[in-house]
Amino acid sequence: MGKHGWESANTIVQIVIKDLPFLVDSVRMALNRLNIASHLLLHTPIKVNRDDKGMATEILPLKDDVKSSHQQTVFLIEVDRQSGSKQLKALASELESVLTDVTLAVEDWKPIQAKLTECISEAKKAKVKNKDNQANSLEFLNWIADHNFTLMGYREYSVSAVEGDTVIKGKDDTSLGLMKNRPSKERFLSVLSDVARTEALSDKLLVLTKTGSKSRVHRPAYMDYIGIKKFDKNGKVIGEHRFIGLYAASFYNSSVRDIPLLNTKINRIMENSTFADGSHAYKALLNVLETYPRDELIQASDENLNEVAMGVLQMQE
C-alpha cells in the first residue's frame, strides 16, 4: 500500500487554494502547455474553519454564512506519471505560477475596474481636435466597462522626448493585476514602423491591438491591449493608460452594429463605397464586413479593411 493508504500508477496533484474564478480552466491550460494528459480532474469548493496554524478544524456547508470561515477550492488531479524530480519540479513550478496569475488578476479586478472608470472620466476632458473619434472611443470604453472585457492588468506609461527620439516608459508602481509580475521596459518610438509611430502620437484616443503573449488565465488566447492616451493642454500625447485582458463572448457573438467603434467603422466604409444602399453589391459588402474576424476588424484601418473586404467580394462574385 502507498504512504497514505492507497496508490496509483499515475502522478497525483493536489491543490488547495482560495476559491476564485478561472481556476479550473487555468489549471487545465497549464497541463496542456506541458503536454501532460489528465486522466481525472476533480474539484469542489468547500467552506472550512482553520486554527492559527492553518490546520482545518471544521468543514461547513457552503450555504452557511460564517465570517471566520475560508471558502476554498480543492483539486485532485490524476496525470501521466512524472517519474523524475525534474519533471515534478517543472509541473509544480508551472502550477504555482499560474495560480499566482489567477490570484493577481482576480483580486485586483475591482481596482482595475475603478481605474478604468477614472480613465474614462479623464478621457472626456482630453484636449483633442478629433471630437468624433473621442466620442466614439468613449462610447466603446463605456461598453467595455459594462462587463464586455475581462480586465486582467493595468499600468500607466509616460511618453516623453529624449535626444532625437521619443521614449515610452512604464510606471511600475501603478501596476495592477498581471502587470505586477511583468516589469516594464523602456521602448523608443524609433524602433517602430512609420505607421506605428504616427499612430502612437496621433490624437486618436485609443490604441487597440494584441499583446505578444498568450493568456495563462481563463482561456489560451493572445491577450488584448486597450491603451487610453493621455494628452496635455495642447493636445500632445504625454502618456498612456494600458489595460490588458480578454474580450468577453459578447464581443464575438453580438452583431457588429451593436458594438461601439466597430459600427461607426463599418458605417464609414459603407458610406464611402460606390454601391447604392440596398443593392446586391451593398448587401454583399456589408455581409463581408459583419462576418470579418472581430480581432482583426477592431485593429484594421479603414483603408486596409476596405481593401481586404473588396478583395473578398470580388472573389465571391
Side-chain angles (χ1 to χ4, degrees):
M1 296 294 289
K3 180 179 178 182
H4 299 289
W6 59 282
E7 56 187 353
S8 172
N10 297 313
T11 293
I12 304 300
V13 178
Q14 294 177 319
I15 302 171
V16 180
I17 187 172
K18 180 180 178 180
D19 189 35
L20 298 168
F22 310 139
L23 284 173
V24 178
D25 290 339
S26 301
V27 167
R28 281 201 180 108
M29 285 158 51
L31 296 175
N32 289 338
R33 280 194 301 274
L34 295 174
N35 294 315
I36 296 175
S38 61
H39 306 283
L40 178 68
L41 193 154
L42 302 177
H43 58 91
T44 185
I46 63 169
K47 190 167 282 188
V48 59
N49 278 326
R50 295 182 180 277
D51 60 22
D52 295 339
K53 296 180 181 179
M55 297 297 292
T57 58
E58 185 181 15
I59 295 177
L60 306 167
L62 284 174
K63 292 183 178 180
D64 279 13
D65 185 18
V66 181
K67 292 183 180 180
S68 62
S69 65
H70 305 272
Q71 186 154 328
Q72 301 179 314
T73 291
V74 177
F75 285 84
L76 188 144
I77 312 168
E78 188 176 336
V79 302
D80 288 338
R81 188 168 187 80
Q82 308 298 297
S83 55
S85 60
K86 187 176 181 180
Q87 288 177 303
L88 289 171
K89 286 181 181 178
L91 174 57
S93 176
E94 179 67 12
L95 288 173
E96 287 173 4
S97 176
V98 165
L99 294 173
T100 297
D101 274 1
V102 172
T103 302
L104 284 172
V106 173
E107 294 193 340
D108 273 3
W109 179 82
K110 284 188 177 179
I112 300 171
Q113 182 78 15
K115 180 57 70 172
L116 177 58
T117 301
E118 181 184 317
C119 291
I120 292 173
S121 297
E122 180 184 304
K124 289 178 182 177
K125 304 171 186 175
K127 303 295 183 181
V128 294
K129 294 179 181 178
N130 194 335
K131 295 299 181 182
D132 285 342
N133 175 266
Q134 183 180 25
N136 292 332
S137 298
L138 286 169
E139 187 182 3
F140 178 75
L141 289 174
N142 282 312
W143 183 83
I144 285 297
D146 188 23
H147 307 292
N148 289 301
F149 189 84
T150 302
L151 295 160
M152 295 186 185
Y154 164 82
R155 181 183 291 137
E156 182 181 344
Y157 287 76
S158 64
V159 176
S160 56
V162 293
E163 294 182 10
D165 208 337
T166 301
V167 64
I168 302 174
K169 186 175 181 181
K171 300 180 179 180
D172 287 338
D173 60 342
T174 65
S175 300
L176 294 170
L178 297 182
M179 290 291 206
K180 283 183 175 177
N181 59 5
R182 290 165 172 77
S184 64
K185 296 179 181 179
E186 288 187 355
R187 193 171 188 187
F188 293 90
L189 287 189
S190 58
V191 304
L192 304 179
S193 66
D194 292 341
V195 174
R197 271 199 307 274
T198 301
E199 191 69 22
L201 298 177
S202 75
D203 69 346
K204 290 182 179 178
L205 186 63
L206 301 181
V207 179
L208 303 173
T209 185
K210 290 279 187 181
T211 70
S213 57
K214 282 189 175 181
S215 172
R216 302 197 305 164
V217 178
H218 190 24
R219 66 175 191 265
Y222 283 99
M223 283 192 289
D224 297 290
Y225 162 145
I226 298 176
I228 307 173
K229 295 177 187 175
K230 295 180 64 179
F231 300 88
D232 64 14
K233 62 182 180 180
N234 298 315
K236 180 182 177 182
V237 178
I238 57 171
E240 178 188 308
H241 297 287
R242 186 172 300 178
F243 295 86
I244 61 170
L246 295 169
Y247 288 106
S250 54
F251 177 73
Y252 300 98
N253 299 331
S254 302
S255 167
V256 290
R257 293 299 182 91
D258 297 329
I259 301 176
L261 217 62
L262 296 189
N263 57 5
T264 52
K265 179 181 287 190
I266 286 180
N267 288 339
R268 283 195 305 271
I269 293 172
M270 297 306 301
E271 287 171 4
N272 292 329
S273 74
T274 59
F275 304 135
D277 190 354
S279 66
H280 168 76
Y282 183 96
K283 292 177 181 178
L285 177 59
L286 182 58
N287 182 66
V288 171
L289 292 170
E290 287 187 329
T291 55
Y292 205 85
R294 296 293 167 86
D295 290 322
E296 296 178 30
L297 183 62
I298 199 166
Q299 297 177 58
S301 66
D302 287 12
E303 295 76 15
N304 179 258
L305 187 56
N306 181 66
E307 182 182 351
V308 174
M310 288 301 296
V312 173
L313 181 61
Q314 289 167 7
M315 289 175 63
Q316 289 179 345
E317 293 298 320

